[in-house]
């Protein structure tokens, strides 16, 4: 099997893998899927993801189709680098191979500009026309006309707050703080039309390539607020050259007044996803983000 044959017959990839007709090398993946590098007969490499079926966990319906749809949609913006989808089957996803490299300042500058252009490509509504996932959890992608604040509260905060409380990751005190954010979300401002966003843009979902570009991987793509992607880039240690990314972005498409006070609000979604998936280890981060959001609103009121 060579790359041309794979593009023409993507459905045959599992058969070739089953019969060991393709060299397969495990590579680092995420917490959910198993990842491997496939070397084809013509020397091309392909990145493949599969769902390990253990402990009774079966791949959710539309899981890989959703990721493929998001990658293609981001790629259609023709701005930031996004791997080509080669195979999208119910239990397997295969993408163009991107040779990893080291973070570089020039790549960060270019990425900031390209991310702004990707966001500016826009979306017809908040949400998406395909089912949603964030990590292994479902996400409500039902199209919504907005305003953004109401959609974000009901589609991106409340569902993961409920899961976190039901799973015992958040106690009543922590939940009450998040509920205050939900109740006051219209006060925080920042409503904008839907942007074309990655949706799960923590630093681990940036692939710094050997071609001196930054590639987007593992999206939860949908129409959302552009500040969400930028806020997530600051989580979990922050992206390399984050200041350069932000400066280049802001030069390309200036951010709205008060965006710094809303960083914690936008981060709250992904932090709640973590308490819903991984438990109370992220409780303090959720509490800090909720308090910072409420404090930011109070500062904005005083300054105004």
């Amino acid at each position: 099997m060579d790359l041309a044959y794979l593009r023409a017959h993507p459905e045959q990839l599992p058969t070739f893998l089953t019969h060991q007709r393709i060299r397969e090398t495990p590579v680092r993946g995420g917490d959910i899927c198993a990842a491997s590098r496939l070397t084809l007969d013509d020397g091309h490499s392909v990145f493949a993801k599969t769902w390990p079926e253990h402990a009774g966990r079966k791949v959710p319906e539309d899981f890989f189709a959703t990721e493929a749809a998001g990658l293609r949609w981001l790629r259609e913006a023709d701005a930031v680098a996004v791997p080509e989808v080669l195979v999208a089957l119910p239990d397997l996803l295969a993408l163009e191979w991107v040779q990893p490299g080291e973070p570089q300042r020039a790549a960060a500058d270019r990425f900031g500009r390209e991310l702004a252009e990707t966001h500016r490509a826009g979306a017809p509504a908040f949400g998406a026309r395909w089912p949603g996932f964030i990590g292994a959890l479902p996400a409500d992608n039902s199209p919504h006309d907005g305003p953004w604040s109401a959609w974000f509260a009901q589609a991106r905060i409340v569902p993961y707050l409920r899961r976190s409380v039901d799973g015992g990751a958040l106690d009543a005190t922590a939940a009450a703080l998040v509920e205050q954010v939900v109740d006051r979300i219209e006060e925080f401002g920042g409503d904008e039309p839907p942007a074309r966003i990655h949706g799960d843009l923590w630093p681990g979902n940036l692939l710094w390539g050997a071609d001196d570009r930054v590639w987007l991987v593992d999206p939860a793509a949908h129409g959302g607020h552009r500040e969400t992607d930028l806020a997530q880039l600051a989580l979990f240690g922050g992206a390399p050259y984050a200041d350069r990314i932000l400066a280049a972005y802001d030069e390309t498409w200036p951010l709205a007044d008060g965006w710094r006070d809303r960083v914690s609000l936008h981060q709250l979604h992904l932090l709640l996803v973590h308490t819903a998936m991984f438990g109370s280890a992220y409780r303090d981060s959720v509490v800090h983000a909720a308090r910072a959001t409420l404090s930011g609103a109070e500062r904005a009121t005083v300054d105004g």
Side-chain angles (χ1 to χ4, degrees), residues 180-228:
Q180 286 185 54
V181 172
V182 170
D183 291 342
R184 297 178 56 187
I185 197 165
E186 293 182 2
E187 300 176 26
F188 307 142
D191 280 328
E192 290 189 2
R196 186 170 305 211
I197 72 169
H198 178 283
D200 188 12
L201 201 57
W202 70 285
N205 284 341
L206 298 184
L207 176 53
W208 297 78
D211 58 353
D212 293 328
R213 296 193 73 182
V214 182
W215 295 69
L216 295 182
V217 297
D218 296 338
H222 61 275
H225 199 305
R226 60 192 180 121
E227 290 177 13
T228 300

Side-chain angles (χ1 to χ4, degrees), residues 106-125:
D109 290 338
R110 180 174 180 176
F111 173 65
R113 296 190 296 270
E114 292 176 339
L115 183 62
E117 294 298 344
T118 298
H119 287 167
R120 191 147 52 182

Side-chain angles (χ1 to χ4, degrees), residues 151-198:
W151 169 82
F152 190 70
Q154 295 307 314
R156 291 298 183 265
I157 295 183
V158 170
Y160 305 102
L161 171 61
R162 289 173 178 162
R163 281 180 174 267
S164 299
V165 171
D166 291 346
L170 296 181
D171 58 18
T173 300
L177 282 170
V178 178
E179 288 166 355
Q180 286 185 54
V181 172
V182 170
D183 291 342
R184 297 178 56 187
I185 197 165
E186 293 182 2
E187 300 176 26
F188 307 142
D191 280 328
E192 290 189 2
R196 186 170 305 211
I197 72 169
H198 178 283

Side-chain angles (χ1 to χ4, degrees), residues 32 137 140 167 177 219 285:
I32 299 168
L137 298 180
D140 183 1
L177 282 170
S285 296

